[in-house]
Amino acid sequence: TKFEDALAARLAIIQPSRAQIEQCLRDTPLHISPGVDRLIEALNVRGTDVYFISGGFRIMIEPVAREVCVSKSNIFANSILFDEDGNYAGFDPEEETSADMGKPK
């Protein structure tokens, strides 16, 4: 099974809405490992670009990136698509991380 097929199948079962994901993040906020914030700050001070590359979901990674000053343009992750009412509408297959072996690309 290719990663993108497994991702599509899992999301088709869950069909998370924007509101559900936002509630999940409020109920169970993501935590940064100790020292990572200082490491990223030191890298930024020295002018080194920092990237987040994940097979996870952009909507969940962006708050962490914002907290440690990593630009949204430096996040490579899967994008969940929502309709105008915030209901699940699929995922962006153009994100390299949504494809089999996408992260190494």
Side-chain angles (χ1 to χ4, degrees), residues 74-94:
N74 288 7
I75 299 171
F76 292 88
N78 296 307
S79 294
I80 297 175
L81 305 176
F82 303 100
D83 67 16
E84 60 278 351
D85 295 321
N87 297 310
Y88 175 74
F91 70 96
D92 184 352
E94 298 301 313

Side-chain angles (χ1 to χ4, degrees), residues 3-75:
F3 179 78
E4 57 266 33
D5 296 335
L7 179 64
R10 288 191 309 257
L11 286 171
I13 291 168
I14 300 168
Q15 296 193 17
S17 70
R18 180 181 296 280
Q20 289 171 323
I21 293 171
E22 290 170 351
Q23 185 64 51
C24 176
L25 289 170
R26 282 191 298 275
D27 292 345
T28 314
L30 301 175
H31 298 284
I32 299 168
S33 297
V36 169
D37 54 344
R38 293 188 304 279
L39 172 62
I40 292 173
E41 181 181 6
L43 291 168
N44 284 333
V45 165
R46 113 177 187 186
T48 302
D49 291 328
V50 177
Y51 293 85
F52 284 0
I53 302 169
S54 174
F57 301 109
R58 181 178 295 276
I59 191 172
M60 300 182 87
I61 295 166
E62 286 177 352
V64 173
R66 189 170 36 255
E67 186 177 332
V68 295
C69 299
V70 171
S71 170
K72 284 173 77 168
S73 63
N74 288 7
I75 299 171

